[in-house]
PDB file of all heavy atoms in Angstrom:
ATOM      1  N   MET A   2      87.583  96.717 107.858  1.00  0.00           N
ATOM      2  CA  MET A   2      86.285  96.235 107.575  1.00  0.00           C
ATOM      3  C   MET A   2      85.511  95.932 108.877  1.00  0.00           C
ATOM      4  O   MET A   2      86.032  95.364 109.808  1.00  0.00           O
ATOM      5  CB  MET A   2      86.298  94.933 106.737  1.00  0.00           C
ATOM      6  CG  MET A   2      85.892  95.159 105.285  1.00  0.00           C
ATOM      7  SD  MET A   2      86.027  93.627 104.441  1.00  0.00           S
ATOM      8  CE  MET A   2      84.334  93.168 104.355  1.00  0.00           C
ATOM      9  N   GLU A   3      84.280  96.345 108.884  1.00  0.00           N
ATOM     10  CA  GLU A   3      83.430  96.101 110.060  1.00  0.00           C
ATOM     11  C   GLU A   3      82.843  94.705 109.931  1.00  0.00           C
ATOM     12  O   GLU A   3      82.419  94.268 108.877  1.00  0.00           O
ATOM     13  CB  GLU A   3      82.298  97.148 110.092  1.00  0.00           C
ATOM     14  CG  GLU A   3      81.520  97.125 111.375  1.00  0.00           C
ATOM     15  CD  GLU A   3      80.561  98.261 111.407  1.00  0.00           C
ATOM     16  OE1 GLU A   3      80.869  99.399 111.066  1.00  0.00           O
ATOM     17  OE2 GLU A   3      79.415  97.991 111.789  1.00  0.00           O
ATOM     18  N   SER A   4      82.837  93.961 111.005  1.00  0.00           N
ATOM     19  CA  SER A   4      82.305  92.571 110.962  1.00  0.00           C
ATOM     20  C   SER A   4      80.788  92.578 110.956  1.00  0.00           C
ATOM     21  O   SER A   4      80.165  93.490 111.507  1.00  0.00           O
ATOM     22  CB  SER A   4      82.838  91.761 112.194  1.00  0.00           C
ATOM     23  OG  SER A   4      82.333  92.363 113.369  1.00  0.00           O
ATOM     24  N   LYS A   5      80.250  91.637 110.330  1.00  0.00           N
ATOM     25  CA  LYS A   5      78.787  91.511 110.196  1.00  0.00           C
ATOM     26  C   LYS A   5      78.204  90.781 111.443  1.00  0.00           C
ATOM     27  O   LYS A   5      78.778  89.818 111.882  1.00  0.00           O
ATOM     28  CB  LYS A   5      78.459  90.711 108.904  1.00  0.00           C
ATOM     29  CG  LYS A   5      77.006  90.653 108.579  1.00  0.00           C
ATOM     30  CD  LYS A   5      76.822  89.965 107.233  1.00  0.00           C
ATOM     31  CE  LYS A   5      75.367  89.840 106.904  1.00  0.00           C
ATOM     32  NZ  LYS A   5      75.155  89.106 105.670  1.00  0.00           N
ATOM     33  N   LYS A   6      77.119  91.290 111.969  1.00  0.00           N
ATOM     34  CA  LYS A   6      76.521  90.711 113.115  1.00  0.00           C
ATOM     35  C   LYS A   6      75.475  89.673 112.718  1.00  0.00           C
ATOM     36  O   LYS A   6      74.919  89.735 111.634  1.00  0.00           O
ATOM     37  CB  LYS A   6      75.810  91.781 113.967  1.00  0.00           C
ATOM     38  CG  LYS A   6      76.750  92.756 114.620  1.00  0.00           C
ATOM     39  CD  LYS A   6      77.586  92.149 115.685  1.00  0.00           C
ATOM     40  CE  LYS A   6      78.446  93.124 116.372  1.00  0.00           C
ATOM     41  NZ  LYS A   6      79.312  92.554 117.363  1.00  0.00           N
ATOM     42  N   CYS A   7      75.292  88.706 113.609  1.00  0.00           N
ATOM     43  CA  CYS A   7      74.274  87.656 113.430  1.00  0.00           C
ATOM     44  C   CYS A   7      72.910  88.270 113.521  1.00  0.00           C
ATOM     45  O   CYS A   7      72.633  89.096 114.391  1.00  0.00           O
ATOM     46  CB  CYS A   7      74.435  86.568 114.490  1.00  0.00           C
ATOM     47  SG  CYS A   7      73.195  85.269 114.441  1.00  0.00           S
ATOM     48  N   VAL A   8      71.980  87.904 112.607  1.00  0.00           N
ATOM     49  CA  VAL A   8      70.651  88.463 112.625  1.00  0.00           C
ATOM     50  C   VAL A   8      69.808  87.954 113.825  1.00  0.00           C
ATOM     51  O   VAL A   8      68.791  88.541 114.166  1.00  0.00           O
ATOM     52  CB  VAL A   8      69.892  88.252 111.316  1.00  0.00           C
ATOM     53  CG1 VAL A   8      70.586  88.970 110.173  1.00  0.00           C
ATOM     54  CG2 VAL A   8      69.708  86.783 111.013  1.00  0.00           C
ATOM     55  N   PHE A   9      70.214  86.814 114.379  1.00  0.00           N
ATOM     56  CA  PHE A   9      69.474  86.255 115.517  1.00  0.00           C
ATOM     57  C   PHE A   9      70.059  86.588 116.861  1.00  0.00           C
ATOM     58  O   PHE A   9      69.395  86.515 117.864  1.00  0.00           O
ATOM     59  CB  PHE A   9      69.447  84.711 115.394  1.00  0.00           C
ATOM     60  CG  PHE A   9      68.663  84.249 114.178  1.00  0.00           C
ATOM     61  CD1 PHE A   9      69.254  83.421 113.228  1.00  0.00           C
ATOM     62  CD2 PHE A   9      67.361  84.588 114.011  1.00  0.00           C
ATOM     63  CE1 PHE A   9      68.579  82.976 112.148  1.00  0.00           C
ATOM     64  CE2 PHE A   9      66.640  84.170 112.885  1.00  0.00           C
ATOM     65  CZ  PHE A   9      67.242  83.335 111.974  1.00  0.00           C
ATOM     66  N   ASP A  10      71.356  86.997 116.902  1.00  0.00           N
ATOM     67  CA  ASP A  10      72.001  87.309 118.189  1.00  0.00           C
ATOM     68  C   ASP A  10      72.908  88.522 117.968  1.00  0.00           C
ATOM     69  O   ASP A  10      73.965  88.411 117.292  1.00  0.00           O
ATOM     70  CB  ASP A  10      72.852  86.088 118.620  1.00  0.00           C
ATOM     71  CG  ASP A  10      73.467  86.259 119.963  1.00  0.00           C
ATOM     72  OD1 ASP A  10      73.389  87.397 120.566  1.00  0.00           O
ATOM     73  OD2 ASP A  10      74.044  85.309 120.444  1.00  0.00           O
ATOM     74  N   ASP A  11      72.537  89.685 118.495  1.00  0.00           N
ATOM     75  CA  ASP A  11      73.294  90.911 118.344  1.00  0.00           C
ATOM     76  C   ASP A  11      74.692  90.874 118.938  1.00  0.00           C
ATOM     77  O   ASP A  11      75.577  91.625 118.568  1.00  0.00           O
ATOM     78  CB  ASP A  11      72.506  92.089 118.968  1.00  0.00           C
ATOM     79  CG  ASP A  11      71.272  92.454 118.145  1.00  0.00           C
ATOM     80  OD1 ASP A  11      71.244  92.138 116.943  1.00  0.00           O
ATOM     81  OD2 ASP A  11      70.355  92.985 118.745  1.00  0.00           O
ATOM     82  N   ASP A  12      74.916  89.971 119.907  1.00  0.00           N
ATOM     83  CA  ASP A  12      76.209  89.856 120.570  1.00  0.00           C
ATOM     84  C   ASP A  12      77.171  88.915 119.823  1.00  0.00           C
ATOM     85  O   ASP A  12      78.322  88.769 120.259  1.00  0.00           O
ATOM     86  CB  ASP A  12      76.007  89.379 122.009  1.00  0.00           C
ATOM     87  CG  ASP A  12      75.196  90.331 122.841  1.00  0.00           C
ATOM     88  OD1 ASP A  12      75.321  91.559 122.586  1.00  0.00           O
ATOM     89  OD2 ASP A  12      74.431  89.885 123.712  1.00  0.00           O
ATOM     90  N   LYS A  13      76.706  88.317 118.714  1.00  0.00           N
ATOM     91  CA  LYS A  13      77.538  87.342 118.032  1.00  0.00           C
ATOM     92  C   LYS A  13      77.859  87.850 116.606  1.00  0.00           C
ATOM     93  O   LYS A  13      77.026  88.434 115.956  1.00  0.00           O
ATOM     94  CB  LYS A  13      76.728  86.025 117.920  1.00  0.00           C
ATOM     95  CG  LYS A  13      77.362  84.921 117.170  1.00  0.00           C
ATOM     96  CD  LYS A  13      76.405  83.726 117.096  1.00  0.00           C
ATOM     97  CE  LYS A  13      76.900  82.756 116.043  1.00  0.00           C
ATOM     98  NZ  LYS A  13      75.900  81.715 115.756  1.00  0.00           N
TER      99      LYS A  13
END
Side-chain angles (χ1 to χ4, degrees):
M2 252 178 105
E3 190 174 314
S4 62
K5 187 175 177 183
K6 294 290 183 184
C7 175
V8 296
F9 296 123
D10 185 354
D11 290 334
D12 297 327
K13 177 183 164 191

